[in-house]
Amino acid sequence: LSGMLYDEVKRVYDFGASWQKLTSLQLQGNYFQQELPPTSADLYSMPSLEVLDLSSNYITGSIPEGMMKLSTITMLNLSNNQLSGTVPEFLMELDRLNLLDRSKNKLKGTLSSKIGKLSALNVLDLSNSAMSGSLPVELGSLSLLTTLHFSRIKRIEGKIPTEIGRLTQLESLDFSSNEMFLKPICLMSETVASSPCLCLK
């Protein structure tokens, strides 16, 4: 598939009763171009949608506010696109998310302290982006996290929050290729030290 994402979806799928029952929409690895549909688009009016995977396309522009309507979403993968602008805080209201991957984009701004509201998160990948600022201590409250990736974010600064040491379910932790200050106490955590994949170089 190629072209504009919204037009292509409408072409192959009828926006009717069955659209309302859709639980998974996976469009990864295509050649969709230009921006995501506007906030008013029917694409965001899917009351049963749990999985939305738009990764590995050529999607540009910002993340539209329409996504805040996806209140049932559990997996949101926007990785490996050309998304830009600041990261909208309304993503932190999608409190059923267990996977949030927006790595390999051009998204700017800081990570909001509201990230702590996503208590169901298992996977958080923000690697290879234009993020800046320091990381919020609220990351330490995401007790179900198994994967936490912040690699290749050159503008991120400060220290790795020691609160990450509280994450007892971590299996993969990646802060590689950054310029952050690694506070030793963080690495003393039995949880972090025993992670099968620990990358901090």
Side-chain angles (χ1 to χ4, degrees):
L1 293 173
S2 62
M4 294 186 67
L5 184 150
Y6 188 47
D7 291 341
E8 286 296 310
V9 172
K10 286 198 299 182
R11 184 177 63 83
V12 300
Y13 202 94
D14 179 32
F15 284 96
S18 57
W19 185 255
Q20 301 297 306
K21 299 177 182 178
L22 194 69
T23 60
S24 180
L25 181 58
Q26 301 187 49
L27 299 169
Q28 67 271 25
N30 287 289
Y31 293 93
F32 291 127
Q33 302 171 18
Q34 297 189 3
E35 300 183 1
L36 287 168
T39 297
S40 60
D42 290 338
L43 182 65
Y44 309 118
S45 300
M46 294 180 282
S48 303
L49 191 70
E50 297 178 0
V51 176
L52 179 59
D53 191 342
L54 302 176
S55 62
S56 300
N57 283 287
Y58 295 91
I59 300 170
T60 60
S62 59
I63 298 175
E65 290 187 7
M67 280 197 175
M68 69 186 300
K69 300 177 183 178
L70 302 177
S71 59
T72 57
I73 199 86
T74 61
M75 299 179 65
L76 179 59
N77 192 343
L78 303 174
S79 64
N80 199 22
N81 280 291
Q82 300 293 317
L83 290 168
S84 58
T86 57
V87 179
E89 289 210 356
F90 63 73
L91 287 181
M92 309 305 162
E93 304 297 327
L94 302 177
D95 55 7
R96 296 191 185 185
L97 278 177
N98 56 54
L99 181 147
L100 176 57
D101 189 346
R102 51 179 178 80
S103 60
K104 298 180 182 178
N105 278 290
K106 300 177 180 179
L107 293 165
K108 301 178 180 179
T110 59
L111 180 61
S112 170
S113 60
K114 292 182 179 179
I115 189 70
K117 298 175 68 174
L118 301 183
S119 58
L121 268 185
N122 299 133
V123 177
L124 178 61
D125 192 344
L126 308 180
S127 301
N128 203 350
S129 67
M131 278 179 57
S132 59
S134 58
L135 296 179
V137 298
E138 286 78 7
L139 283 170
S141 66
L142 302 177
S143 60
L144 299 182
L145 270 184
T146 60
T147 301
L148 180 59
H149 289 178
F150 282 97
S151 64
R152 304 178 189 277
I153 306 176
K154 297 296 185 181
R155 296 180 182 176
I156 215 163
E157 57 190 30
K159 302 173 182 178
I160 295 178
T162 58
E163 288 77 7
I164 288 177
R166 302 174 185 167
L167 303 178
T168 59
Q169 304 299 314
L170 267 185
E171 297 175 1
S172 180
L173 176 65
D174 190 352
F175 279 97
S176 61
S177 300
N178 286 309
E179 298 179 358
M180 300 187 71
F181 175 72
L182 306 183
K183 193 172 184 179
I185 192 173
C186 180
L187 304 184
M188 293 299 290
S189 164
E190 181 180 346
T191 302
V192 175
S194 62
S195 296
C197 179
L198 173 63
C199 191
L200 297 164
K201 63 183 179 180

Coordinates of all heavy atoms in Angstrom, one line a residue, residues 65-118:
E65 N -4.6 15.7 17.7 CA -5.4 15.5 19.0 C -6.5 14.4 18.9 O -7.0 13.9 19.9 CB -6.1 16.8 19.3 CG -5.1 17.9 19.8 CD -5.8 19.1 20.3 OE1 -7.1 19.1 20.4 OE2 -5.1 20.1 20.6
G66 N -6.8 14.0 17.6 CA -7.8 13.0 17.5 C -7.4 11.7 18.2 O -8.3 10.9 18.6
M67 N -6.2 11.5 18.4 CA -5.7 10.2 19.0 C -6.2 10.1 20.5 O -6.2 9.0 21.0 CB -4.2 10.1 18.9 CG -3.8 9.6 17.6 SD -2.1 8.9 17.6 CE -2.0 8.3 15.9
M68 N -6.5 11.3 21.1 CA -6.9 11.2 22.4 C -8.3 10.6 22.6 O -8.7 10.2 23.7 CB -7.0 12.6 23.0 CG -8.1 13.5 22.5 SD -7.9 15.2 23.1 CE -8.1 15.0 24.9
K69 N -9.0 10.4 21.4 CA -10.3 9.7 21.4 C -10.2 8.2 21.5 O -11.1 7.5 21.8 CB -11.1 10.0 20.2 CG -11.4 11.5 20.0 CD -12.1 11.7 18.6 CE -12.3 13.2 18.3 NZ -13.0 13.4 17.0
L70 N -9.0 7.7 21.3 CA -8.7 6.2 21.3 C -8.6 5.7 22.7 O -7.5 5.2 23.1 CB -7.5 5.9 20.5 CG -7.6 6.4 19.0 CD1 -6.3 6.0 18.3 CD2 -8.8 5.7 18.3
S71 N -9.6 5.8 23.5 CA -9.5 5.6 25.0 C -9.3 4.1 25.3 O -9.0 3.8 26.4 CB -10.8 6.1 25.7 OG -12.0 5.4 25.1
T72 N -9.6 3.2 24.3 CA -9.4 1.8 24.6 C -8.1 1.2 24.1 O -7.8 0.0 24.2 CB -10.5 1.0 23.9 OG1 -10.5 1.2 22.5 CG2 -11.9 1.3 24.5
I73 N -7.2 2.1 23.6 CA -6.0 1.7 23.0 C -5.0 1.1 24.0 O -4.8 1.6 25.1 CB -5.3 2.8 22.2 CG1 -4.3 2.3 21.2 CG2 -4.7 3.9 23.1 CD1 -4.8 1.9 19.9
T74 N -4.4 -0.1 23.7 CA -3.4 -0.7 24.6 C -2.0 -0.7 24.0 O -1.0 -0.7 24.7 CB -3.8 -2.1 25.0 OG1 -3.9 -2.9 23.8 CG2 -5.1 -2.1 25.7
M75 N -1.9 -0.7 22.6 CA -0.6 -0.7 21.9 C -0.6 0.4 20.9 O -1.4 0.3 19.9 CB -0.4 -2.1 21.3 CG -0.3 -3.2 22.3 SD 0.0 -4.8 21.6 CE 1.6 -4.6 20.9
L76 N 0.3 1.3 21.0 CA 0.4 2.4 20.0 C 1.8 2.5 19.5 O 2.8 2.8 20.3 CB 0.0 3.8 20.7 CG 0.1 5.0 19.8 CD1 -0.7 4.9 18.5 CD2 -0.2 6.3 20.5
N77 N 2.0 2.1 18.3 CA 3.4 2.1 17.7 C 3.4 3.1 16.5 O 2.8 2.9 15.5 CB 3.7 0.7 17.2 CG 5.2 0.5 16.8 OD1 5.9 1.5 16.7 ND2 5.6 -0.7 16.8
L78 N 4.2 4.2 16.7 CA 4.4 5.2 15.7 C 5.8 5.3 15.3 O 6.2 6.2 14.6 CB 3.9 6.6 16.3 CG 2.5 6.7 16.8 CD1 2.3 8.0 17.4 CD2 1.5 6.5 15.7
S79 N 6.6 4.3 15.6 CA 8.0 4.3 15.4 C 8.4 4.3 13.9 O 7.7 3.9 13.0 CB 8.7 3.1 16.1 OG 8.3 1.9 15.5
N80 N 9.7 4.8 13.7 CA 10.3 4.8 12.3 C 9.5 5.5 11.3 O 9.1 5.0 10.2 CB 10.6 3.4 11.9 CG 11.6 3.3 10.8 OD1 12.4 4.2 10.6 ND2 11.6 2.2 10.1
N81 N 9.1 6.8 11.6 CA 8.4 7.6 10.7 C 9.1 9.0 10.6 O 10.3 9.1 11.0 CB 6.9 7.8 11.1 CG 6.1 6.6 10.6 OD1 5.8 6.4 9.5 ND2 5.6 5.9 11.6
Q82 N 8.5 10.0 10.2 CA 9.1 11.3 10.1 C 8.2 12.3 10.9 O 8.1 13.5 10.6 CB 9.2 11.8 8.6 CG 10.0 10.9 7.7 CD 11.5 11.0 8.1 OE1 12.0 12.0 8.4 NE2 12.1 9.8 8.1
L83 N 7.6 11.9 12.0 CA 6.8 12.7 12.8 C 7.6 13.8 13.4 O 8.7 13.6 13.9 CB 6.1 11.9 13.9 CG 5.0 10.9 13.3 CD1 4.6 10.0 14.4 CD2 3.8 11.7 12.8
S84 N 7.0 15.0 13.5 CA 7.8 16.1 14.1 C 6.9 16.9 15.0 O 5.7 16.5 15.3 CB 8.3 17.1 13.0 OG 7.2 17.5 12.2
G85 N 7.4 18.1 15.5 CA 6.6 18.8 16.5 C 6.9 18.3 17.9 O 7.7 17.5 18.1
T86 N 6.1 18.9 18.8 CA 6.3 18.5 20.2 C 5.4 17.3 20.5 O 4.4 17.0 19.8 CB 5.9 19.6 21.2 OG1 4.6 20.0 20.9 CG2 6.8 20.8 21.0
V87 N 5.8 16.6 21.6 CA 5.0 15.4 22.0 C 3.8 15.9 22.8 O 3.9 16.5 23.8 CB 5.8 14.5 22.9 CG1 5.0 13.3 23.3 CG2 7.1 14.0 22.1
P88 N 2.6 15.6 22.3 CA 1.3 16.1 23.0 C 1.1 15.4 24.3 O 1.3 14.2 24.4 CB 0.2 15.7 22.0 CG 0.8 14.6 21.2 CD 2.3 14.8 21.1
E89 N 0.7 16.2 25.3 CA 0.5 15.6 26.6 C -0.8 14.7 26.7 O -0.9 13.9 27.6 CB 0.4 16.7 27.7 CG 1.7 17.4 27.9 CD 1.7 18.0 29.4 OE1 0.7 17.9 30.1 OE2 2.8 18.5 29.8
F90 N -1.6 14.8 25.7 CA -2.8 14.0 25.8 C -2.5 12.5 25.6 O -3.3 11.7 26.0 CB -3.9 14.5 24.7 CG -3.5 14.3 23.3 CD1 -3.4 13.1 22.7 CD2 -3.2 15.4 22.5 CE1 -3.0 13.0 21.3 CE2 -2.8 15.3 21.2 CZ -2.7 14.1 20.6
L91 N -1.3 12.2 25.1 CA -1.0 10.8 25.0 C -0.9 10.2 26.5 O -1.1 9.0 26.6 CB 0.4 10.6 24.3 CG 0.4 10.8 22.8 CD1 1.8 10.6 22.3 CD2 -0.6 9.9 22.1
M92 N -0.6 11.0 27.4 CA -0.5 10.6 28.8 C -1.9 10.3 29.4 O -2.0 9.8 30.6 CB 0.2 11.6 29.7 CG 1.6 12.1 29.1 SD 2.7 10.7 28.7 CE 3.8 11.5 27.6
E93 N -2.9 10.6 28.7 CA -4.3 10.3 29.2 C -4.8 8.9 28.7 O -5.8 8.5 29.1 CB -5.3 11.4 28.7 CG -4.9 12.8 29.1 CD -4.9 13.0 30.6 OE1 -5.7 12.3 31.3 OE2 -4.0 13.8 31.1
L94 N -4.0 8.3 27.8 CA -4.4 7.0 27.3 C -3.9 5.9 28.3 O -3.0 5.2 28.1 CB -3.8 6.7 25.9 CG -4.2 7.8 24.8 CD1 -3.4 7.5 23.5 CD2 -5.7 7.8 24.6
D95 N -4.7 5.8 29.4 CA -4.2 5.1 30.6 C -4.3 3.6 30.5 O -3.9 2.9 31.4 CB -4.9 5.6 31.8 CG -6.4 5.5 31.8 OD1 -6.9 4.9 30.8 OD2 -7.0 6.0 32.7
R96 N -4.7 3.1 29.3 CA -4.7 1.6 29.1 C -3.5 1.1 28.3 O -3.3 -0.1 28.1 CB -6.0 1.2 28.4 CG -7.3 1.4 29.1 CD -8.5 0.8 28.4 NE -9.7 1.1 29.1 CZ -10.9 0.5 28.7 NH1 -11.0 -0.3 27.8 NH2 -12.0 0.9 29.4
L97 N -2.7 2.1 27.9 CA -1.5 1.7 27.1 C -0.6 0.8 27.9 O -0.2 1.0 29.0 CB -0.7 3.0 26.7 CG -1.2 3.8 25.5 CD1 -0.3 5.0 25.4 CD2 -1.2 2.9 24.2
N98 N -0.2 -0.3 27.2 CA 0.9 -1.2 27.7 C 2.1 -1.1 26.8 O 3.2 -1.6 27.2 CB 0.4 -2.6 28.0 CG -0.2 -3.3 26.8 OD1 0.4 -3.4 25.8 ND2 -1.4 -3.8 27.0
L99 N 2.0 -0.6 25.6 CA 3.1 -0.3 24.7 C 3.0 1.0 24.1 O 2.0 1.3 23.5 CB 3.2 -1.4 23.6 CG 4.4 -1.3 22.7 CD1 4.9 -2.7 22.2 CD2 4.1 -0.5 21.4
L100 N 4.0 1.8 24.2 CA 4.1 3.1 23.6 C 5.5 3.2 22.9 O 6.5 3.3 23.6 CB 3.9 4.3 24.6 CG 4.1 5.7 24.0 CD1 3.1 6.0 22.9 CD2 3.9 6.7 25.1
D101 N 5.5 3.2 21.6 CA 6.7 3.3 20.9 C 6.6 4.4 19.9 O 5.9 4.3 18.9 CB 7.0 1.9 20.1 CG 8.4 1.9 19.5 OD1 9.1 2.9 19.4 OD2 8.8 0.8 19.1
R102 N 7.4 5.5 20.1 CA 7.5 6.6 19.2 C 8.9 6.9 18.8 O 9.3 8.0 18.6 CB 6.7 7.8 19.7 CG 7.1 8.3 21.1 CD 6.3 9.5 21.4 NE 6.6 10.0 22.8 CZ 7.6 10.8 23.1 NH1 8.5 11.1 22.2 NH2 7.7 11.2 24.3
S103 N 9.7 5.9 18.8 CA 11.2 6.0 18.5 C 11.4 6.3 17.0 O 10.5 6.1 16.2 CB 11.9 4.7 18.9 OG 11.4 3.6 18.2
K104 N 12.6 6.7 16.7 CA 13.0 7.0 15.3 C 12.0 8.0 14.6 O 11.5 7.7 13.5 CB 13.1 5.7 14.6 CG 14.1 4.7 15.1 CD 14.2 3.4 14.4 CE 15.2 2.5 15.0 NZ 15.3 1.2 14.3
N105 N 11.8 9.1 15.3 CA 11.0 10.2 14.7 C 11.8 11.5 15.0 O 12.9 11.5 15.5 CB 9.6 10.2 15.3 CG 8.7 9.2 14.6 OD1 8.3 9.4 13.5 ND2 8.3 8.2 15.4
K106 N 11.2 12.6 14.7 CA 11.8 13.9 14.9 C 11.0 14.7 15.9 O 11.1 15.9 16.0 CB 11.8 14.7 13.6 CG 12.6 14.0 12.4 CD 12.5 14.8 11.1 CE 13.3 14.1 10.0 NZ 13.2 14.8 8.8
L107 N 10.4 14.0 16.8 CA 9.6 14.7 17.9 C 10.5 15.3 18.9 O 11.5 14.8 19.3 CB 8.7 13.6 18.5 CG 7.6 13.0 17.7 CD1 7.0 11.8 18.3 CD2 6.5 14.1 17.4
K108 N 10.1 16.6 19.2 CA 10.9 17.4 20.2 C 10.2 17.5 21.5 O 9.1 17.0 21.7 CB 11.1 18.8 19.6 CG 11.8 18.8 18.2 CD 12.0 20.2 17.7 CE 12.7 20.2 16.3 NZ 12.8 21.6 15.8
G109 N 10.8 18.3 22.4 CA 10.2 18.6 23.7 C 10.7 17.6 24.8 O 11.4 16.7 24.6
T110 N 10.2 17.9 26.0 CA 10.6 17.1 27.1 C 9.5 16.0 27.4 O 8.4 16.1 26.9 CB 10.7 18.0 28.4 OG1 9.4 18.6 28.6 CG2 11.7 19.0 28.2
L111 N 9.9 15.0 28.2 CA 9.0 14.0 28.6 C 8.2 14.5 29.8 O 8.8 14.8 30.8 CB 9.7 12.7 28.9 CG 8.8 11.5 29.3 CD1 7.9 11.1 28.2 CD2 9.7 10.3 29.7
S112 N 6.9 14.6 29.7 CA 6.1 15.1 30.7 C 6.1 14.2 32.0 O 6.2 13.0 31.9 CB 4.6 15.2 30.2 OG 3.7 15.6 31.3
S113 N 6.0 14.9 33.1 CA 5.9 14.2 34.4 C 4.6 13.3 34.4 O 4.5 12.4 35.2 CB 5.9 15.1 35.6 OG 4.8 16.0 35.5
K114 N 3.6 13.6 33.6 CA 2.4 12.9 33.5 C 2.6 11.5 33.0 O 1.6 10.7 33.0 CB 1.4 13.6 32.6 CG 0.9 14.9 33.2 CD -0.2 15.6 32.3 CE -0.7 16.9 33.0 NZ -1.7 17.5 32.1
I115 N 3.8 11.1 32.5 CA 4.1 9.8 32.1 C 3.7 8.8 33.2 O 3.4 7.6 33.0 CB 5.6 9.6 31.7 CG1 5.8 8.3 31.0 CG2 6.5 9.8 32.8 CD1 5.2 8.1 29.7
G116 N 3.8 9.2 34.4 CA 3.5 8.4 35.6 C 2.1 7.9 35.6 O 1.7 6.9 36.3
K117 N 1.2 8.5 34.8 CA -0.2 8.2 34.8 C -0.4 6.9 34.0 O -1.5 6.2 34.1 CB -1.1 9.3 34.2 CG -1.0 10.6 35.1 CD -1.7 11.7 34.4 CE -3.2 11.5 34.3 NZ -4.0 12.7 33.8
L118 N 0.6 6.5 33.2 CA 0.4 5.3 32.3 C 0.8 4.1 33.1 O 1.8 3.4 32.7 CB 1.2 5.5 31.0 CG 0.9 6.7 30.2 CD1 1.7 6.7 28.9 CD2 -0.6 6.7 29.8

